[in-house]
């Protein structure tokens, strides 16, 4: 297994965001996560990526225990994430944003980084915006930049937090195609998304979270047919 989360627990006061969570992802696998607002989905990413510390449980990644490993160490080990609200370095150019990922997130030399960043920008359809300030990008471009910057760190696992949210249907379809390509290149994906159609075009397996608990897991279509999941999904759609 590439990622093995076991017995993860975390609360904020009386709000339980991780309630004995287990989750495994194999190398190259694509797993989707759905759940209502406040279910603890982003918190789970924060726990995995190291921004938050669990009160109990363990996370193993690529054979290593991540206890005490800071976010930058997890990134260098091959884990990269995007943020629900894009967080580019607004005053740097698109290209410079990627360089930060490649140089500091992967410890590449600037020369190696320059080449790989150019390739990633091309793959993500951002090459013609390479010299634009990140602060000037449209929402779709910002979402693409989140992914491009994550890819610049050469991850084995990419965590996507509602990357398709807020886009038009056409933009969403474009993004799904890009994510499909990333997946085909062998990078494992853990993708939180409310837009189930987009998610289902890419994932192998679906996990449903509610109140910090994993309430269902399995093949996407089978999971969605469960009455308790269906009930929650209607709430998500509304
Ligand atoms: N740092 C924090 N301090 C206190 N409460 C927090 C913190 N982070 C998250 N929470 C609370 O924990 C709960 C879960 O938040 P989280 O962001 O993980 O939900 P989510 O499933 O990602 O929701 P959404 O679909 O709205 O993005 C929410 O009630 C949120 O207000
Ligand atoms: Mg969230």
């Amino acid at each position: 297994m590439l990622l093995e989360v076991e017995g993860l627990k975390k609360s904020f006061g009386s709000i339980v965001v991780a309630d004995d969570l287990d989750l495994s992802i194999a190398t190259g696998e694509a797993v989707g996560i759905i759940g209502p607002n406040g279910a603890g989905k982003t918190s789970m990413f924060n726990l995995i990526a190291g921004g938050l510390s669990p009160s109990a449980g363990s996370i193993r990644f690529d054979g290593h225990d991540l206890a005490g490993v800071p976010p930058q160490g997890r990134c260098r080990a091959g884990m990269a994430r995007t943020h629900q609200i894009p967080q580019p370095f607004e005053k740097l150019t698109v290209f410079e944003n990627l360089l930060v990922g490649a140089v500091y997130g992967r410890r590449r030399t600037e020369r190696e980084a320059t080449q790989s960043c150019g390739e990633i920008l091309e793959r993500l359809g951002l090459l013609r915006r390479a010299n634009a300030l990140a602060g000037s990008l449209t929402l779709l471009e910002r979402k693409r930049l989140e992914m491009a910057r994550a890819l610049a760190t050469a991850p084995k696992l990419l965590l996507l937090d509602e990357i398709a949210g807020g886009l038009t249907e056409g933009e969403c379809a474009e993004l799904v195609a890009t994510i499909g390509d990333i997946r085909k290149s062998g990078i494992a994906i853990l993708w939180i998304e409310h837009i189930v159609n987009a998610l289902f075009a890419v994932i192998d397996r679906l996990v449903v979270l509610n109140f910090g608990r994993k309430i269902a897991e399995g093949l996407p279509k089978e999971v969605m047919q469960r009455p308790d999941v269906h009930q929650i999904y209607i709430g998500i759609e509304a």
Side-chain angles (χ1 to χ4, degrees):
M1 283 292 156
L2 180 62
L3 179 75
E4 287 178 280
V5 171
E6 263 180 38
L8 212 59
K9 291 189 180 167
K10 180 74 184 177
S11 302
F12 295 112
S14 61
I15 302 171
V16 181
V17 293
D19 188 1
D20 210 6
L21 272 182
D22 296 334
L23 178 74
S24 300
I25 300 179
T27 302
E29 194 185 14
V31 176
I33 299 179
I34 64 167
N37 293 118
K41 305 181 297 297
T42 298
S43 298
M44 182 203 232
F45 272 17
N46 292 338
L47 289 163
I48 294 172
L52 268 183
S53 301
S55 55
S58 67
I59 304 173
R60 288 184 71 78
F61 180 69
D62 208 13
H64 301 282
D65 185 349
L66 292 184
V69 178
Q72 62 271 29
R74 298 181 192 210
C75 181
R76 287 174 190 148
M79 188 187 277
R81 71 173 296 180
T82 67
H83 296 90
Q84 191 165 345
I85 298 169
Q87 290 182 15
F89 301 112
E90 308 252 348
K91 292 186 175 154
L92 298 184
T93 66
V94 166
F95 190 75
E96 288 163 347
N97 265 270
L98 265 70
L99 271 186
V100 173
V103 173
Y104 296 103
R106 207 44 168 181
R107 294 228 166 104
R108 287 181 205 255
T109 64
E110 217 169 304
R111 192 194 172 100
E112 288 167 344
T114 303
Q115 189 186 343
S116 76
C117 291
E119 287 165 9
I120 292 165
L121 284 178
E122 183 157 26
R123 205 163 135 205
L124 274 276
L126 279 173
L127 200 53
R128 62 180 186 87
R129 301 292 275 150
N131 295 319
L133 289 183
S136 73
L137 300 183
T138 66
L139 180 65
L140 176 62
E141 289 169 340
R142 281 169 172 259
K143 301 250 179 185
R144 288 186 173 279
L145 176 56
E146 279 291 299
M147 288 203 290
R149 191 173 51 168
L151 290 177
T153 69
K156 293 176 182 151
L157 173 66
L158 178 62
L159 306 169
L160 299 173
D161 195 350
E162 294 196 32
I163 195 82
L167 300 178
T168 66
E169 223 170 284
E171 288 172 339
C172 184
E174 274 184 41
L175 206 71
V176 166
T178 304
I179 296 168
D181 287 344
I182 292 171
R183 192 262 149 97
K184 277 188 206 120
S185 75
I187 296 172
I189 291 177
L190 184 58
W191 181 5
I192 297 169
E193 191 56 72
H194 285 307
I195 302 167
V196 170
N197 289 343
L199 200 58
F200 280 25
V202 176
I203 61 169
D204 306 306
R205 193 150 57 85
L206 180 66
V207 169
V208 185
L209 291 186
N210 201 14
F211 297 113
R213 279 198 88 86
K214 184 168 76 177
I215 62 153
E217 177 174 25
L219 294 174
K221 285 197 177 130
E222 289 176 11
V223 168
M224 289 305 275
Q225 276 163 5
R226 283 179 41 162
D228 53 341
V229 172
H230 193 71
Q231 202 62 33
I232 285 173
Y233 176 61
I234 289 169
I236 295 172
E237 265 203 318

